[in-house]
Amino acid sequence: MAHFKEVNEQSGLHPKPAGLVLQYGTAGFRTSANQLDHIMFRMGLLATLRSKKTKATIGVMVTASHNPEEDNGVKLVDPMGEMLTSSWEGYATQLANTEQEELLTTMKDIIEKEAIDMSQEANVFVGKDTRSSSASLSQAVLDGVKALGGHSKDYGLVTTPQLHYMVCCQNTQGKYGEATLERYYSKLSQAFSLLAKNASNRTDDQKHLSVDGANGIGAIKVREMESHLKKDLQLSIFNDGSRGKLNHQCGADFVKVQQKLPTGIKINPGDRCCSFDGDADRIVYYYTDAQGHFHLLDGDKIATLISTFLKELLNEAGLDLKIAVVQTAYANGSSTYYLENTMKVIVRCTKTGVKHLHHAAKEFDIGVYFEANGHGTVLFSEEAEEKIQQLVHNTNINDERKKAALLLQNTINIINQTVGDAISDMLLMEAILAIKGMTVQQWDTIYSDLPNRQLKVKVSDRRVIETADAERKAVTPAGLQEAIDGLVKKYKQARSFVRPSGTEDVVRVYAEADTQESADALAHEVSLAVYGLAGGVGDEPKPLH
Ligand code: 16G
Ligand code: MG
């Protein structure tokens, strides 16, 4: 049948190293760049099949996010800009791992199982980050699409969320916006300037933000955006890729995990700063105080401020919409407590990974979802958007309600609802802080994080750990959960859980407690329990102090 011969011939130019097995993980394939050429070609094939199946444009993003420069990876984007549906992740893994001679058979199996009409047109949008390997790897994706007779559009260098946005615009026939970078910038910056108008007397200091671009694509794109922002926001961009290495001692992941300033940034005490990750789908904020202490405002603090802002606006607008915050087990206990007991918003907990949070957030009129690591966005249901629109156009309401409705409308426009977007989240946070006239320190004092610690344990097979209750309970191996429960009881305000990583060959341990010493001790003791009960390899975990 059509194009199979072409696929067969072309796949020979993207050979699979015999025996190599890779898994479509939490966020696609991710490994050392030199192992990925055949994966990219094959993901070009799979995206083409997915496009034929959904009769819509599919996205393929070449990036390894916060991983080192030497790595790379690929994520597929579904028609509404969401991550590839989990029912197709298995196909991605099959297609990636099938040996060269079996490629056509495996592909035909997928076509048959999914009853794909091969005469259907296919369209694939491709984007890439700044890694040196990304150019040839994204070409391999384009080769795959072409071999199977699909059409492609190469967006070149874009952030991951920008590519998600383009796919959604294309498949909603422009209802979500126009599928160009120029229009992405103008939509977001217009919404920002309309929101910023509601902030009174902002000083230059308040308008200023330092951005750590992780030496990646986010730095390039935020600079492109700058000219659209005019004087509404003044950015100092550090780690813009002109000197430093991608994600090396900088970026959102480094800052969150190390709880310290990235290198390459020059700031004064009290200055508001944020860091993006390597593909600009994560953001965290921070500042240093007069004593030089570092203060992190992570995804939990971001979600708290956004949901507070939205809840106040809903009240002022007189709109009865159900708002919820979706978190993972990594959310700091203080944030969950504050949201549930002070803010009185619904809080849901899901498994780690954006697709799980995104899915849960869709259950509500307004779903604010954030991982503590800074990955998140806000989803508005169609009904919620309509109600807000109606209110904006209602001529019989008072000024206060009208103002709140307009603020909600512009908030919708500033948000990239397809996936967490560092640039869009940054603009939203800057707008909220401006409107509320709030400093980063004031934002930080909304609640105090419980001290916490994350550790990794190496085991011979991390799959021996199965979890339940959104990863908060270990079901296997026998005795592990009981051991964790016993250890947690020794400390105040304590909580701990373990889970196999979806991106690294390790078991992750999380612990929090009333003091840093307790959190560290608990994390260490739980690591020992994992090491002992789940087949630890190498040296026994050592205490932190
Ligand atoms: C991926 C996920 C991220 C999650 C992380 C967990 C996406 C787009 N990215 O990077 O959300 O926090 O994996 O990694 O879903 P881990 O399983 O190694 O802890
Ligand atoms: Mg990322």
Side-chain angles (χ1 to χ4, degrees):
M1 215 166 101
H3 299 290
F4 289 163
K5 201 165 148 264
E6 185 77 6
V7 169
N8 211 18
E9 280 170 20
Q10 291 294 316
S11 69
L13 302 174
H14 301 279
K16 172 184 180 296
L20 179 66
V21 177
L22 296 169
Q23 204 75 26
Y24 195 94
T26 320
F29 294 101
R30 208 178 284 182
T31 187
S32 160
N34 55 23
Q35 295 191 315
L36 282 167
D37 182 63
H38 68 294
I39 300 278
M40 297 293 167
F41 177 79
R42 291 164 183 216
M43 289 308 105
L45 299 177
L46 191 72
T48 309
L49 293 180
R50 180 88 187 130
S51 173
K52 287 178 189 286
K53 168 78 186 186
T54 56
K55 301 185 172 52
T57 297
I58 295 297
V60 181
M61 181 69 197
V62 176
T63 179
S65 185
H66 57 275
N67 283 39
E69 149 80 33
E70 298 72 33
D71 286 358
N72 217 324
V74 59
K75 320 188 199 189
L76 267 66
V77 181
D78 253 2
M80 287 302 117
E82 296 165 73
M83 298 179 69
L84 177 69
T85 180
S86 41
S87 62
W88 273 56
E89 290 180 359
Y91 296 145
T93 302
Q94 279 166 26
L95 209 56
N97 295 322
T98 194
E99 295 304 330
Q100 202 73 18
E101 325 56 83
E102 296 295 321
L103 182 59
L104 279 190
T105 318
T106 308
M107 207 174 78
K108 284 176 187 168
D109 273 357
I110 299 172
I111 294 169
E112 198 179 313
K113 272 201 198 113
E114 290 292 324
I116 296 170
D117 172 5
M118 291 303 284
S119 65
Q120 178 68 39
E121 268 210 9
N123 289 294
V124 178
F125 284 179
V126 181
K128 60 169 183 272
D129 72 10
T130 53
R131 289 178 159 76
S132 53
S133 59
S134 291
S136 70
L137 291 177
S138 75
Q139 186 56 51
V141 174
L142 294 165
D143 290 351
V145 176
K146 190 166 172 226
L148 205 45
H151 302 286
S152 58
K153 178 165 176 163
D154 183 6
Y155 276 90
L157 291 171
V158 281
T159 68
T160 295
Q162 284 176 335
L163 187 77
H164 283 253
Y165 179 90
M166 300 307 160
V167 171
C168 179
C169 289
Q170 183 69 12
N171 290 318
T172 51
Q173 283 77 40
K175 198 169 153 246
Y176 195 61
E178 231 177 85
T180 66
L181 270 182
E182 196 52 33
R183 295 308 292 261
Y184 166 92
Y185 293 130
S186 58
K187 180 181 172 183
L188 268 60
S189 55
Q190 265 170 31
F192 180 77
S193 94
L194 289 168
L195 286 172
K197 282 207 174 87
N198 293 276
S200 47
N201 307 323
R202 284 167 80 211
T203 61
D204 278 355
D205 265 3
Q206 288 163 337
K207 287 183 189 171
H208 183 260
L209 173 70
S210 296
V211 182
D212 155 28
N215 289 315
I217 186 67
I220 298 177
K221 297 299 157 179
V222 84
R223 186 149 280 153
E224 277 174 22
M225 171 121 218
E226 234 184 337
S227 59
H228 293 260
L229 291 167
K230 303 193 192 80
K231 291 267 170 283
D232 288 331
L233 187 60
Q234 288 155 21
L235 302 173
S236 296
I237 304 169
F238 298 92
N239 298 323
D240 64 357
S242 56
R243 284 197 306 273
K245 199 171 167 188
L246 177 70
N247 296 329
H248 183 64
Q249 301 200 323
C250 61
D253 196 61
F254 173 86
V255 170
K256 167 77 182 162
V257 175
Q258 303 293 326
Q259 312 242 346
K260 62 179 183 196
L261 288 180
T263 51
I265 195 164
K266 284 183 199 65
I267 52 161
N268 295 316
D271 284 354
R272 201 167 61 251
C273 314
C274 67
S275 282
F276 297 176
D277 74 337
D279 63 341
D281 61 357
R282 274 164 64 170
I283 183 170
V284 294
Y285 271 79
Y286 45 91
Y287 66 96
T288 54
D289 60 26
Q291 287 72 42
H293 293 136
F294 172 84
H295 297 263
L296 177 73
L297 295 99
D298 62 2
D300 302 336
K301 290 243 158 144
I302 294 174
T304 303
L305 191 59
I306 295 175
S307 53
T308 307
F309 176 71
L310 289 172
K311 201 172 168 203
E312 287 166 1
L313 287 182
L314 290 177
N315 276 342
E316 286 160 21
L319 279 171
D320 182 22
L321 293 172
K322 204 184 241 179
I323 180 166
V325 176
V326 182
Q327 307 183 313
T328 70
Y330 289 107
N332 195 280
S334 291
S335 74
T336 316
Y337 185 88
Y338 177 83
L339 286 165
E340 283 181 333
N341 298 294
T342 310
M343 283 284 304
K344 310 242 182 278
V345 298
I346 305 163
V347 179
R348 287 277 180 278
C349 183
T350 70
K351 289 202 276 188
T352 302
V354 170
K355 61 190 170 204
H356 302 298
L357 290 107
H358 192 94
H359 189 73
K362 277 166 96 176
E363 303 286 308
F364 301 92
D365 296 322
I366 302 180
V368 180
Y369 76 78
F370 268 88
E371 291 190 314
N373 64 23
H375 202 148
T377 186
V378 186
L379 305 185
F380 293 83
S381 71
E382 234 171 84
E383 202 195 330
E385 288 199 12
E386 264 164 35
K387 282 191 177 164
I388 292 166
Q389 282 309 335
Q390 277 166 10
L391 207 59
V392 166
H393 295 114
N394 189 334
T395 47
N396 295 321
I397 53 170
N398 64 30
D399 287 354
E400 193 201 358
R401 288 187 71 192
K402 180 71 123 205
K403 185 180 165 197
L406 280 166
L407 282 169
L408 282 165
Q409 186 192 41
N410 289 317
T411 303
I412 292 174
N413 286 335
I414 211 170
I415 289 168
N416 182 350
Q417 294 191 49
T418 64
V419 77
D421 181 335
I423 293 180
S424 143
D425 289 341
M426 173 191 85
L427 293 177
L428 177 61
M429 293 315 300
E430 291 302 303
I432 296 176
L433 291 171
I435 293 167
K436 286 181 153 294
M438 208 182 225
T439 64
V440 69
Q441 294 89 336
Q442 287 166 334
W443 168 24
D444 195 24
T445 54
I446 292 180
Y447 66 81
S448 300
D449 275 326
L450 279 171
N452 57 87
R453 178 66 62 193
Q454 286 193 51
L455 296 174
K456 304 177 192 183
V457 184
K458 277 209 173 290
V459 297
S460 59
D461 180 3
R462 69 194 197 279
R463 287 171 302 181
V464 300
I465 297 190
E466 282 175 44
T467 64
D469 190 21
E471 304 179 323
R472 290 173 292 192
K473 290 271 171 290
V475 181
T476 61
L480 179 58
Q481 188 56 47
E482 290 72 14
I484 296 173
D485 291 343
L487 294 167
V488 165
K489 277 205 194 98
K490 291 169 46 186
Y491 299 95
K492 289 198 191 98
Q493 291 180 280
R495 189 169 69 90
S496 179
F497 67 92
V498 302
R499 53 176 283 278
S501 158
T503 65
E504 241 184 287
D505 192 13
V506 294
V507 174
R508 296 205 193 280
V509 172
Y510 177 89
E512 65 185 30
D514 61 337
T515 65
Q516 192 62 55
E517 290 68 34
S518 297
D520 289 352
L522 177 57
H524 172 63
E525 287 164 14
V526 171
S527 299
L528 285 176
V530 170
Y531 183 86
L533 294 165
V537 294
D539 292 343
E540 202 178 78
K542 298 209 170 41
L544 284 129
H545 303 288

